[in-house]
Amino acid sequence: RNKHADDLAIEAAVENELFVKEYNANRRFLAKWSSFKYEKSSKARIKRTQAYRKRYNIGRSSFVGYGVLLVSEHGAIGELKWGDNVKLVRELYIDYTGGLTVGNGVSFAEGTLVFTHGHSYMFRKKECLNKYNPNTFATPLTIGDNVFIGSRAIIMPGVGSIGENSVISAGAIVT
């Protein structure tokens, strides 16, 4: 083997180790804090919101309900940026693998699904998200200020941006 191949192998091992460490830490966090048990009292709900704000750098005056899952997949640690006064109601799945920016005053109603990465059959000409997983592609998403996303709405990979003051109705599929 040549030195370049050895260097690439070491780089891949280090990147994978960092991802696995972050992935496992995130899973432990979510197992603890997304639990319904924090619905017992307003004090417990505040404690949960504070934990999420600290871990994910969610802005001031925000609220996080139970069952909120924020995840990055496929060996990528996506960038996540939050505004202030964000409401994450309950039972949400938000993928930030490809990068997610959320503006001020954004509300996610219950059951919302958000995806920021896709697979090779979806995006033939996109740049690979992770050189060690060539079938996965970043589809960054920016959500503008004062957006309301209704119950059970699905935001699919490749949307790119949702403009300020938008309302996405319940059950909508945004492509």
Side-chain angles (χ1 to χ4, degrees):
R1 292 174 39 143
N2 64 35
K3 183 170 175 22
H4 180 68
D6 289 342
D7 289 345
L8 287 176
I10 291 169
E11 180 184 325
V14 168
E15 285 182 19
N16 189 53
E17 185 177 321
L18 290 173
F19 170 76
V20 169
K21 183 178 178 181
E22 172 58 23
Y23 182 85
N24 289 332
N26 195 50
R27 290 295 178 187
R28 284 190 302 275
F29 175 89
L30 293 172
K32 177 179 180 179
W33 292 104
S34 69
S35 170
F36 185 74
K37 73 180 182 182
Y38 290 96
E39 291 298 297
K40 289 187 250 180
S41 69
S42 60
K43 188 176 180 179
R45 287 189 293 275
I46 290 167
K47 191 174 179 180
R48 175 186 47 228
T49 295
Q50 289 171 337
Y52 270 83
R53 284 189 61 219
K54 183 178 178 182
R55 171 137 181 93
Y56 300 106
N57 200 26
I58 298 173
R60 297 175 310 220
S61 301
S62 294
F63 171 79
V64 180
Y66 68 88
V68 173
L69 303 178
L70 304 174
V71 298
S72 188
E73 308 269 351
H74 300 293
I77 300 174
E79 188 172 9
L80 186 57
K81 296 178 183 175
W82 297 95
D84 295 330
N85 198 29
V86 173
K87 305 291 184 263
L88 302 166
V89 178
R90 65 179 170 267
E91 301 295 340
L92 309 177
Y93 179 88
I94 299 178
D95 156 43
Y96 62 95
T97 306
L100 176 64
T101 301
V102 178
N104 297 314
V106 175
S107 294
F108 295 84
E110 70 178 57
T112 299
L113 304 175
V114 177
F115 300 98
T116 64
H117 78 281
H119 300 275
S120 61
Y121 60 88
M122 299 170 82
F123 302 99
R124 300 261 183 241
K125 298 186 185 219
K126 286 264 188 194
E127 187 173 321
C128 177
L129 176 67
N130 180 332
K131 60 187 165 191
Y132 312 111
N133 190 347
N135 296 318
T136 308
F137 302 88
T139 59
L141 175 63
T142 299
I143 300 174
D145 293 341
N146 304 312
V147 171
F148 175 80
I149 302 170
S151 296
R152 308 271 187 264
I154 302 171
I155 301 171
M156 295 297 291
V159 170
S161 66
I162 297 171
E164 290 185 4
N165 302 310
S166 294
V167 174
I168 297 173
S169 65
I173 299 174
V174 183
T175 59

